[in-house]
Amino acid sequence: MNPLLGQFINLLGAVLLLLAFAMISQRRIVSLIHLYTMQGATLVLATAVVGYVTDQPHLYLSAALTLGLKVVLIPVLLHRVIDRLEVRWDTETLINIPTTMLVGILLVIFAFNLSLPISRFSGSVARGTLGIAMACVLLSFMMMIVRSKAVPQVIGFLALENGLFFAATAATYGMPMVVELGIALDVLIGVLILGVFMFQIRERFDSLDIRHLERLKED
């Protein structure tokens, strides 16, 4: 295998990680969608490169599926949702941005230390990608926790799935196509359901702050 291609895959993983960091510090929802789209495009390129390096034709289909779903369809749906809900900013977070970034750095260190024993025995094209993927998953999970608005939490969920998909692609050369199609369908249905859910929150409470859902316990 060309070592430059392995380094290029690691570089794409680093881009995914930087985009995840940018997402946890971004309060403008439109910018969050743009960052998610860039993450999807990076994932498409990484999947295609892994497919070329490992001579796995099904990864080209995975890249095409990711392109259509995560770079085109889901961002369009998210833009339509925020246009109808007229939301642009998520200014209320549970912790401030500097603290969020500090916790994010600690999560990245934890992810790399956790994946190090596994990476040593890995025969994949880019051993360091497992730690990067785990870090992306943890950062996305943290974004879901610290955000109070429903839309950023949905984007965090989608970014978390990106991290899992990158781990499956780089570490195991992808999942069976039937599994990938099933996951893609589940993600799409999940986005549609969460969109309806957000409209219901807005109609009931005139806000997308999920903390208002605590009122239901009192009703």
Side-chain angles (χ1 to χ4, degrees):
M1 183 197 72
N2 190 336
L4 292 178
L5 291 177
Q7 292 298 321
F8 184 59
I9 296 172
N10 283 324
L11 176 62
L12 293 175
V15 172
L16 284 175
L17 184 57
L18 289 175
L19 290 172
F21 259 108
M23 291 173 75
I24 65 174
S25 62
Q26 181 59 246
R27 293 185 176 182
R28 192 166 181 261
I29 296 179
V30 174
S31 297
L32 272 178
I33 298 176
H34 291 160
L35 289 171
Y36 170 76
T37 305
M38 293 171 61
Q39 209 178 46
T42 305
L43 195 60
V44 169
L45 184 56
T47 304
V49 172
V50 173
Y52 174 77
V53 171
T54 61
D55 194 23
Q56 301 281 340
H58 74 277
L59 288 179
Y60 295 116
L61 295 178
S62 297
L65 180 64
T66 302
L67 177 65
L69 187 64
K70 300 180 181 181
V71 181
V72 179
L73 184 57
I74 289 180
V76 168
L77 292 176
L78 290 174
H79 277 292
R80 290 186 177 181
V81 167
I82 65 171
D83 287 340
R84 292 191 59 182
L85 293 174
E86 297 180 352
V87 291
R88 290 293 182 271
W89 295 87
D90 181 18
T91 57
E92 298 180 7
T93 55
L94 299 182
I95 57 178
N96 58 39
I97 297 301
T99 305
T100 300
M101 298 298 289
L102 179 60
V103 175
I105 293 173
L106 295 176
L107 288 176
V108 171
I109 295 173
F110 172 77
F112 274 90
N113 284 315
L114 186 64
S115 64
L116 185 59
I118 303 175
S119 300
R120 289 175 178 173
F121 297 100
S122 175
S124 61
V125 293
R127 296 181 178 182
T129 55
L130 182 58
I132 293 175
M134 291 183 63
C136 290
V137 169
L138 292 177
L139 290 174
S140 301
F141 189 66
M142 184 183 69
M143 189 174 85
M144 295 175 62
I145 294 175
V146 302
R147 297 302 179 103
S148 58
K149 294 292 189 298
V151 177
Q153 289 196 342
V154 171
I155 298 175
F157 165 75
L158 294 171
L160 185 149
E161 196 272 334
N162 281 346
L164 293 175
F165 187 88
F166 181 65
T169 300
T172 65
Y173 307 147
M175 299 170 286
M177 184 55 59
V178 174
V179 177
E180 292 186 11
L181 290 173
I183 293 176
L185 181 61
D186 288 342
V187 170
L188 181 59
I189 293 175
V191 171
L192 295 176
I193 293 174
L194 289 170
V196 174
F197 179 62
M198 285 186 285
F199 281 110
Q200 292 296 325
I201 296 177
R202 182 63 175 268
E203 182 179 354
R204 175 67 175 82
F205 300 108
D206 195 27
S207 172
L208 285 175
D209 193 330
I210 61 172
R211 288 175 292 186
H212 291 303
L213 294 177
E214 295 178 0
R215 297 180 185 176
L216 296 177
K217 299 179 181 178
E218 302 173 359
D219 295 341

